[in-house]
Amino acid sequence: MSDKIAIIMRGLPGSGKSHWVETYILSLALEKAIGVRQRGVFSTDSFFYHQDEYRFDAKKLPEYHQCNLTGFIQALSSGEPVVICDNTNLCRWEYMAYEAAAKALGYQVRIMLIGEPSNPAHQLECAKRNRHGVPLVQIQRMAKVFEDF
């Protein structure tokens, strides 16, 4: 079995995906943690930052998702020991390409669901906690399309 791992995060905005990723990285040996932080974490959200300010533009979403997937696959191809996709991935089709690429390149794949998207209390917590100002009504819409494993 391969010691290379691809982690695909799933969960609503504000569920704690990025916090989980940060905690996981901090649990690694220092040298490995630095490598994962620099070359192994891929989030479509990162493309919406301009000079430390988050500016979401729905028109850019398809392009940025493609850029994120490309970076993820490049990290797999170069043999990074840990590669993480930190997106919401609410529906299977959203992470299928990440999972397929990782498996094709010999990685163990772990799908990490953070929180319970169908739980109204969790949805409310996510609306309060998310860093991008996603309102409760949008979080509820996203929860409705969530596909279980």
Side-chain angles (χ1 to χ4, degrees), residues 44-108:
T44 300
D45 271 343
S46 67
F47 294 94
F48 290 103
Y49 280 94
H50 302 278
Q51 299 172 340
D52 291 336
E53 183 186 335
Y54 185 79
R55 288 191 251 157
F56 182 77
D57 178 355
K59 290 189 279 299
K60 294 282 193 182
L61 207 49
E63 174 189 345
Y64 290 172
H65 273 307
Q66 188 58 52
C67 290
N68 196 64
L69 176 59
T70 299
F72 183 90
I73 292 171
Q74 287 172 339
L76 297 171
S77 296
S78 66
E80 290 298 327
V82 178
V83 184
I84 301 170
C85 173
D86 186 11
N87 287 346
T88 55
N89 292 311
L90 297 174
C91 300
R92 178 139 173 70
W93 67 264
E94 294 175 298
Y95 65 88
M96 274 177 33
Y98 291 90
E99 184 179 26
K103 286 179 177 177
L105 291 166
Y107 280 71
Q108 292 180 57

Side-chain angles (χ1 to χ4, degrees), residues 4-55:
K4 297 183 296 185
I5 183 167
I7 301 170
I8 298 172
M9 303 303 297
R10 299 186 74 203
L12 295 168
S15 62
K17 296 178 304 298
S18 297
H19 177 76
W20 186 95
V21 168
E22 186 61 27
T23 302
Y24 173 77
I25 290 171
L26 290 172
S27 77
L28 300 173
L30 183 60
E31 193 173 307
K32 190 172 188 178
I34 290 169
V36 173
R37 189 179 312 284
Q38 290 176 344
R39 300 179 303 277
V41 180
F42 297 88
S43 172
T44 300
D45 271 343
S46 67
F47 294 94
F48 290 103
Y49 280 94
H50 302 278
Q51 299 172 340
D52 291 336
E53 183 186 335
Y54 185 79
R55 288 191 251 157

